[in-house]
Amino acid sequence: MSGIPSFSEANSAEMVAQRLLKAKAGPLPRFLATVVDHLHQIVRETRPSAADWRQAIAFLTEIGHASDDKRQEWVLLSDLLGVTALVEEINSRRPNGATPNTVRGPFYRSDAPRLALGADISLDGAGKSLTVTGRVTDLDGLPIAGATVETWQANAQGFYENQQPDLQPEFNLRGVFATDKEGRFHYRTVKPAGYGVPDDGPVGQMLRQLNYPLSRPAHIHFLIRADGFETLTTQVFESGDPHLSEDALFGVKPELVGDFKRTGEDWSLDFAFVLAMARKGSRAA
């Protein structure tokens, strides 16, 4: 019949976009339109066979089956392909001199206890002692008093407390502190270990077959809030970790590498965090 457009390799993305636009009866979201366009472009460039495409669909189906309310395999895929880090990078730009953001990760808890400066967040004492000191300032180097500093980390075996609810005490290696009048905070903990990301699902199995790095270097998480400043979610990585250059989640940046110093049997870390002033529409505290 005349007037009916014929679907072809050349116009496939345009036809889908037009159909979506007609069905929506309004402007098509730019993100969706771009995804459709790029997806069709990928197929044209790679020219998969029908069997190749069925295999790709089967892989995506396995990801869905591996996801539930306790495990998000789709998030893992996003993390390991660097997409999560890219979204974070786009949405958390900082001026020069400010501490950069990283992804929060899946092990954060919003109900960690508030503790006095100097408290020990290692409730089982399992591991090498580590004293953490830090200072929170603005871009001019002025201290930010009363800033809220949340911290959480893996234990000496590379496991978070909420990964091992039957083996670690509740709230182990977690705490919330407030900076003093000089913008400083300090607490005691144990030296964290690096760890491998989950590789027992379809994402890990696929990437392991490609010899893709699936390790995270040792690190400590921090979430810092202060009135009038953008909220900082970041990680401090151990400078001597062998996996520092191949973090599976692409979180390592030169500004976030900390010097874990050893004195006898004990370790220490001192790190300075620089917050940027809140801007209109930014994630302020």
Side-chain angles (χ1 to χ4, degrees), residues 123 186 193 197:
L123 304 182
H186 63 283
V197 299

Side-chain angles (χ1 to χ4, degrees), residues 27-109:
L28 188 64
R30 179 170 174 266
F31 180 80
L32 178 58
T34 303
V35 167
V36 169
D37 183 63
H38 285 213
L39 179 59
H40 283 244
Q41 182 178 342
I42 289 171
V43 172
R44 287 194 297 269
E45 289 180 0
T46 60
R47 312 194 74 79
S49 66
D52 292 335
W53 191 244
R54 285 194 296 270
Q55 185 177 10
I57 295 298
F59 172 67
L60 298 177
T61 301
E62 288 179 21
I63 294 177
H65 289 161
S67 301
D68 55 31
D69 58 348
K70 294 183 178 180
R71 174 173 181 151
Q72 239 304 346
E73 195 78 359
W74 285 107
V75 173
L76 181 63
L77 179 64
S78 173
D79 290 347
L80 294 178
L81 294 185
V83 179
T84 304
L86 177 59
V87 171
E88 185 67 38
E89 188 74 13
I90 291 171
N91 288 282
S92 62
R93 298 187 185 278
R94 296 284 191 268
N96 291 335
T99 303
N101 252 50
T102 64
V103 296
R104 181 177 295 185
F107 303 115
Y108 171 74
R109 289 182 60 172

Side-chain angles (χ1 to χ4, degrees), residues 97-270:
T99 303
N101 252 50
T102 64
V103 296
R104 181 177 295 185
F107 303 115
Y108 171 74
R109 289 182 60 172
S110 62
D111 57 348
R114 290 184 172 271
L115 303 171
L117 292 177
D120 193 341
I121 65 172
S122 176
L123 304 182
D124 57 9
K128 298 176 181 178
S129 175
L130 171 67
T131 298
V132 177
T133 59
R135 189 167 188 247
V136 182
T137 71
D138 63 15
L139 283 166
D140 295 320
L142 298 174
I144 301 176
T148 299
V149 179
E150 296 185 53
T151 185
W152 67 102
Q153 65 173 83
N155 66 6
Q157 285 74 47
F159 293 100
Y160 291 82
E161 157 260 8
N162 47 357
Q163 286 181 291
Q164 298 181 316
D166 298 328
L167 298 178
Q168 294 190 46
E170 180 83 349
F171 299 121
N172 193 37
L173 302 174
R174 300 176 185 275
V176 182
F177 301 92
T179 58
D180 63 18
K181 62 182 180 180
E182 296 182 347
R184 298 185 182 278
F185 66 92
H186 63 283
Y187 63 90
R188 290 173 294 155
T189 182
V190 294
K191 189 172 179 288
Y195 53 87
V197 299
D199 64 355
D200 57 333
V203 173
Q205 291 170 7
M206 177 193 73
L207 294 178
R208 191 171 62 247
Q209 291 174 0
L210 300 174
N211 294 318
Y212 190 89
L214 294 174
S215 296
R216 297 222 67 203
H219 59 278
I220 301 176
H221 294 264
F222 293 92
L223 193 157
I224 303 176
R225 296 185 176 93
D227 291 341
F229 294 88
E230 293 188 12
T231 297
L232 172 66
T233 303
T234 196
Q235 302 167 45
V236 176
F237 298 86
E238 182 183 1
S239 59
D241 193 287
H243 299 290
L244 201 63
S245 63
E246 53 180 24
D247 176 25
L249 269 59
F250 301 92
V252 177
K253 299 180 180 182
E255 306 96 317
L256 300 179
V257 177
D259 187 9
F260 285 62
K261 296 180 179 180
R262 183 173 184 175
T263 306
E265 294 299 318
D266 298 329
W267 291 77
S268 64
L269 168 68
D270 184 59

